[in-house]
Amino acid sequence: MNWLLLAGGHVFDPEDRGIADVLILDDRIAAVGPDLLAPTGIGEGEVCSVADRIVLPGLIDGHIHVMGASGLGGPTTRSTDLQIERIAGAGVTTVISPLGADSLSRGIPCLLARAAALECEGISAYCYTGGWKLPVPTLTGDPQADVAFVDRVLGIKVAISEPLAPLYGMDELCRLAHAAYTGGRLAGKRAVLHAHIGDHPEGLMPLREVQRRTGVPRDRLLAIHVNRNSGLWKQAMEYARDGGSIDLTAMQRPETGHPEAIRPAEAVQEALAAGVPAARITLSTDSGVPYPRLDATGKIVGLYMAGPEAILGTVRELVAGGMNWGQAAAFATRHVADLVGLGRKGRLAVGSDADILILDAGGTVDRVYGRGRLLVSQGAPIVRGPFGG
């Protein structure tokens, strides 16, 4: 057995625990508290000082395209695999990936294989079955069976109120919501219907109708990209006040080619002021997608592949707006873990996976551990994929 004692950091689990130590045994957290003693007689280990550092749970990106996405601008706009060094370097230790708009040339078997590779490289990787295609893409031919029998699958992806996506009839949406919910119960999972919401004015009305018809709990009907325009955002706040789950896309903001978007940190603050429970809000990035590269005048001059750095950037903005580090990080740690039932993720607690993000006093990534394995040291990734740059 190997051990590691992180000593003297400011620990947010994500509750503020003040100056404390974190003891890791192999891949789990064994103790959190002040003045912990280094273990003896149980194997090799070391004491690492994290004084003057911020110690957080590793971030969870609940909507990230780990094998790339899009292609709606033609074959040259199909992005490529996100490499482990870019994910871990952003402080992300757990990913949940759906298929994107191109659910034809990319499929669920390839998505599961890419997730398995990232798991081998050091982070935790999960997927959604389904996608932008009817019938929805699956591994087994049955979306409920995918959820029930494939451990890595945490729900079903659909795209609604989206002019570019196939038109799901209400009966089909109800069937898929039922498949996610019931498949999850059969597997002992907290599976969700993971719904991309587009710019069509009907917005969240299809999810509300699904809930009315099926009785599936509203918090299992997760609405994604809800900060993309002001009309949808107003619907989303009401939906979350009524018990629904909403996810803000950290990459969607005016400076990234989304002129109608509400900046995610501003959206969080507005939602909390409007009485939305914090636990009903999560943050993700939509990274792996090609985004427009803009010149100084706002003209599109090319493309770049968005990365998961936007989560930590949003967390910093929330801290600058008055939250402590734990409160801000909870939108991409504990809240996500609770939403999809990842009981060992999103917390620095005894028995949790040793997924740990350590920041310097300015909020820059210093070290990252994935299940006790050092992935980033002094801000530099030390684990790299075989095909990275």
Side-chain angles (χ1 to χ4, degrees):
M1 178 175 287
N2 296 314
W3 59 268
L4 174 67
L5 182 61
L6 301 172
H10 192 157
V11 174
F12 297 87
D13 71 357
E15 299 298 326
D16 187 351
R17 301 304 180 194
I19 303 303
D21 306 333
V22 180
L23 176 63
I24 300 169
L25 297 181
D26 287 337
D27 60 352
R28 300 283 186 91
I29 294 173
V32 179
D35 303 318
L36 297 179
L37 297 176
T40 59
I42 62 169
E44 297 183 353
E46 61 177 325
V47 177
C48 291
S49 173
V50 288
D52 303 318
R53 294 292 187 263
I54 300 153
V55 183
L56 298 167
L59 302 177
I60 304 170
D61 194 337
H63 186 97
I64 177 174
H65 297 281
V66 295
M67 66 171 183
S70 193
L72 290 175
T76 60
T77 64
R78 297 174 77 256
S79 52
T80 58
D81 289 349
L82 272 173
Q83 297 298 312
I84 182 70
E85 57 267 28
R86 191 169 183 191
I87 297 171
V92 173
T93 57
T94 301
V95 295
I96 313 172
S97 183
L99 292 178
D102 177 9
S103 297
L104 182 64
S105 69
R106 306 176 197 261
I108 300 301
C110 293
L111 180 59
L112 289 166
R114 180 65 192 133
L118 290 169
E119 190 99 21
C120 292
E121 290 168 347
I123 65 171
S124 299
Y126 302 89
C127 302
Y128 292 109
T129 195
W132 286 43
K133 191 171 176 289
L134 284 174
V136 293
T138 68
L139 179 69
T140 65
D142 180 347
Q144 184 180 102
D146 281 14
V147 175
F149 300 129
V150 183
D151 289 346
R152 209 179 292 279
V153 172
L154 300 182
I156 300 173
K157 158 76 177 289
V158 296
I160 61 176
S161 301
E162 173 55 71
L164 297 176
L167 182 61
Y168 297 82
M170 188 52 60
D171 287 347
E172 178 69 8
L173 274 179
C174 290
R175 186 180 74 84
L176 292 170
H178 174 271
Y181 182 62
T182 304
R185 294 194 65 168
L186 291 171
K189 299 176 182 176
R190 202 179 187 282
V192 299
L193 185 73
H194 183 88
H196 165 113
I197 311 296
D199 284 312
H200 194 278
E202 68 179 356
L204 293 175
M205 293 310 296
L207 282 190
R208 286 189 173 275
E209 182 64 12
V210 165
Q211 201 279 328
R212 186 188 71 81
R213 290 193 187 189
T214 65
V216 169
R218 190 168 287 142
D219 65 341
R220 306 292 185 91
L221 305 175
L222 171 62
I224 305 294
H225 310 317
V226 294
N227 58 313
R228 68 188 308 151
N229 65 62
S230 59
L232 176 59
W233 176 234
K234 290 177 183 177
Q235 288 188 36
M237 286 192 286
E238 182 179 354
Y239 181 70
R241 281 196 299 266
D242 290 343
S245 297
I246 59 173
D247 186 84
L248 302 165
T249 301
M251 279 299 302
Q252 287 187 343
R253 47 184 75 212
E255 59 268 30
T256 62
H258 295 82
E260 303 301 319
I262 297 91
R263 289 180 175 84
E266 295 174 8
V268 167
Q269 297 285 16
E270 182 181 358
L272 296 178
V276 175
R280 298 269 62 82
I281 306 170
T282 57
L283 276 172
S284 65
T285 63
D286 199 27
S287 54
V289 169
Y291 270 66
R293 190 183 302 278
L294 308 178
D295 66 13
T297 68
K299 179 183 176 182
I300 297 175
V301 294
L303 296 172
Y304 71 98
M305 187 167 70
E309 303 85 4
I311 285 187
L312 185 54
T314 301
V315 169
R316 292 190 194 104
E317 291 169 359
L318 289 169
V319 170
M323 291 187 183
N324 69 38
W325 282 100
Q327 292 168 330
F331 298 102
T333 56
R334 181 175 59 198
H335 298 177
V336 190
D338 289 349
L339 172 68
V340 293
L342 296 178
R344 298 208 307 263
K345 302 295 186 183
R347 291 171 171 80
L348 301 180
V350 174
S352 295
D353 287 345
D355 297 337
I356 299 175
L357 168 60
I358 299 173
L359 307 175
D360 66 19
T364 299
V365 174
D366 177 23
R367 271 175 272 175
V368 178
Y369 294 87
R371 303 193 307 276
R373 179 183 179 186
L374 183 63
L375 304 176
V376 177
S377 179
Q378 297 182 322
I382 60 173
V383 174
R384 296 181 176 273
F387 307 109

